[in-house]
C-alpha cells in the first residue's frame, strides 16, 4: 500500500521492496535497486485508506454518530458524520499514531488508539445499549398511551415515546450515561433517574388508580376512602341514634298504658 517508485536523476524508477510499518514509522527497504546505483533519492509514498466498522454493545451496526480521526504527529483532526452506514473509510495523511473517537449525542462511546498500520481494517465496539421501560399503575396493570420522555444528562439526547398496550417503550442504541425519565399520564407527571451501563429493562409502578374510567392518585384515593369511611360512620351513628329514639318511644308508650 505504498507507492513503490523512486525518483532518480530526473526519472521515476520502479523499485521492489518489502515495507515494514510500525508506530515509529520505520521503513525497511530490501534490495532497493537491483543495479546498486548509489546517490541521492527522493522517496515518495502514500498511505492506504483504512476502513472502520462501528458496532453497538449488542454487535449491531451503529448508525447516526460522529467519527473523529486525530493524527498525533500532524495534530490534524478530521470529523466524519455517518447516518445510515456504520462503515467509514479514511485516508491518513501520515503514519501512526492515530486516535479514532466515536461520539453519539455529544458523548464519547468508543475510542481506539492505532499504533500500527499492519492492518487497514478496524472494528470498534461502542458503549451503546438498548433500554426498555415499562409503566404500570398502582394495581400492577400496564398503562397504555403514557408519554415517556428520556433526557441524557450532560448530553444532547432528548426523545419521547408513547407506551404500547403492554405499557412499554423500547429505545435502541442509547449511549452509556445518566438519564432523567419523565412519565406523563393524563394529569399526572412523575420523574425518575436511571444509569445506563448495559442493556437495561426498567419497570416503574405509578401510584395512580383507574376506577370506572377516572384515574386517581394515591393521595386522592386515600382521601376518597377516608371520606367514604367517615360517611359510613355518620350513617351508622345516625342509624343507632334513630334506633335509640324508637326504643325510647316504645318504652314511653308502654308505661302510659299501664
Amino acid at each position: 500500500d505504498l507507492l513503490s517508485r523512486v525518483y532518480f536523476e530526473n526519472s521515476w524508477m520502479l523499485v521492489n521492496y518489502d515495507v515494514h510499518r510500525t508506530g515509529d514509522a520505520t521503513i525497511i527497504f530490501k534490495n532497493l535497486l537491483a543495479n546498486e546505483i548509489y546517490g541521492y533519492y527522493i522517496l515518495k509514498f502514500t498511505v492506504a485508506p483504512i476502513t472502520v466498522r462501528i458496532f453497538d454493545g449488542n454487535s449491531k451496526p451503529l448508525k447516526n454518530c460522529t467519527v473523529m480521526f486525530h493524527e498525533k504527529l500532524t495534530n490534524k483532526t478530521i470529523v466524519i458524520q455517518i447516518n445510515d452506514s456504520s462503515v467509514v473509510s479514511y485516508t491518513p495523511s501520515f503514519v501512526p499514531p492515530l486516535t479514532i473517537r466515536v461520539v453519539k449525542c455529544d458523548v464519547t462511546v468508543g475510542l481506539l488508539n492505532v499504533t500500527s498500520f499492519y492492518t487497514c481494517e478496524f472494528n470498534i465496539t461502542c458503549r451503546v445499549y438498548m433500554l426498555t421501560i415499562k409503566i404500570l399503575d398502582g394495581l400492577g396493570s400496564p398503562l397504555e398511551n403514557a408519554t415517556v420522555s428520556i433526557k441524557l444528562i450532560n448530553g444532547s439526547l432528548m426523545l419521547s415515546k408513547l407506551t404500547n398496550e403492554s405499557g412499554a417503550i423500547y429505545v435502541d442504541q442509547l449511549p452509556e450515561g445518566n438519564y432523567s425519565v419523565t412519565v406523563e399520564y393524563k394529569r399526572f407527571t412523575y420523574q425518575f433517574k436511571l444509569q445506563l451501563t448495559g442493556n437495561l429493562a426498567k419497570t416503574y409502578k405509578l401510584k395512580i388508580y383507574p376506577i370506572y374510567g377516572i384515574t386517581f392518585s394515591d393521595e386522592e384515593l386515600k382521601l376518597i376512602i377516608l371520606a367514604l369511611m367517615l360517611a359510613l360512620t355518620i350513617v351508622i351513628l345516625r342509624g343507632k341514634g334513630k334506633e335509640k329514639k324508637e326504643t325510647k318511644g316504645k318504652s314511653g308508650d308502654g308505661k302510659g298504658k299501664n
Side-chain angles (χ1 to χ4, degrees), residues 79-97:
V79 179
I80 300 177
Q81 179 70 37
I82 59 175
N83 297 315
D84 296 330
S85 175
S86 63
V87 181
V88 59
S89 295
Y90 172 69
T91 302
S93 61
F94 208 62
V95 292

Side-chain angles (χ1 to χ4, degrees), residues 51-162:
T51 300
V52 181
R53 292 179 173 84
I54 305 170
F55 302 94
D56 65 10
N58 297 305
S59 301
K60 295 192 298 185
L62 180 62
K63 301 179 180 181
N64 301 318
C65 61
T66 301
V67 184
M68 305 171 68
F69 297 88
H70 178 71
E71 300 177 10
K72 186 175 181 180
L73 296 181
T74 60
N75 197 27
K76 175 183 177 182
T77 301
I78 299 297
V79 179
I80 300 177
Q81 179 70 37
I82 59 175
N83 297 315
D84 296 330
S85 175
S86 63
V87 181
V88 59
S89 295
Y90 172 69
T91 302
S93 61
F94 208 62
V95 292
L98 173 70
T99 300
I100 306 174
R101 184 185 304 271
V102 182
V103 178
K104 187 174 179 65
C105 303
D106 295 335
V107 177
T108 298
V109 295
L111 186 67
L112 178 65
N113 292 312
V114 180
T115 59
S116 171
F117 282 164
Y118 282 118
T119 177
C120 292
E121 294 187 359
F122 302 94
N123 294 333
I124 301 179
T125 299
C126 300
R127 299 183 301 276
V128 177
Y129 308 103
M130 183 172 183
L131 174 65
T132 301
I133 293 180
K134 192 169 186 179
I135 307 298
L136 306 177
D137 64 17
L139 300 176
S141 301
L143 284 178
E144 186 178 1
N145 292 326
T147 302
V148 181
S149 301
I150 302 172
K151 185 181 186 305
L152 176 61
I153 301 174
N154 299 325
S156 62
L157 175 68
M158 181 180 290
L159 59 88
S160 295
K161 283 192 171 187
L162 291 176

Side-chain angles (χ1 to χ4, degrees), residues 107 150-155 175-181 193-197:
V107 177
I150 302 172
K151 185 181 186 305
L152 176 61
I153 301 174
N154 299 325
E176 179 184 69
N178 296 314
Y179 289 83
S180 64
V181 179
K193 293 187 183 298
L194 65 83
Q195 184 180 34
L196 187 68
T197 57

Side-chain angles (χ1 to χ4, degrees), residues 4 13 32 60 102 110 129 165 186 206 213 237:
S4 55
M13 300 176 59
L32 182 61
K60 295 192 298 185
V102 182
Y129 308 103
E165 64 276 4
K186 295 185 177 179
L206 308 185
L237 291 176

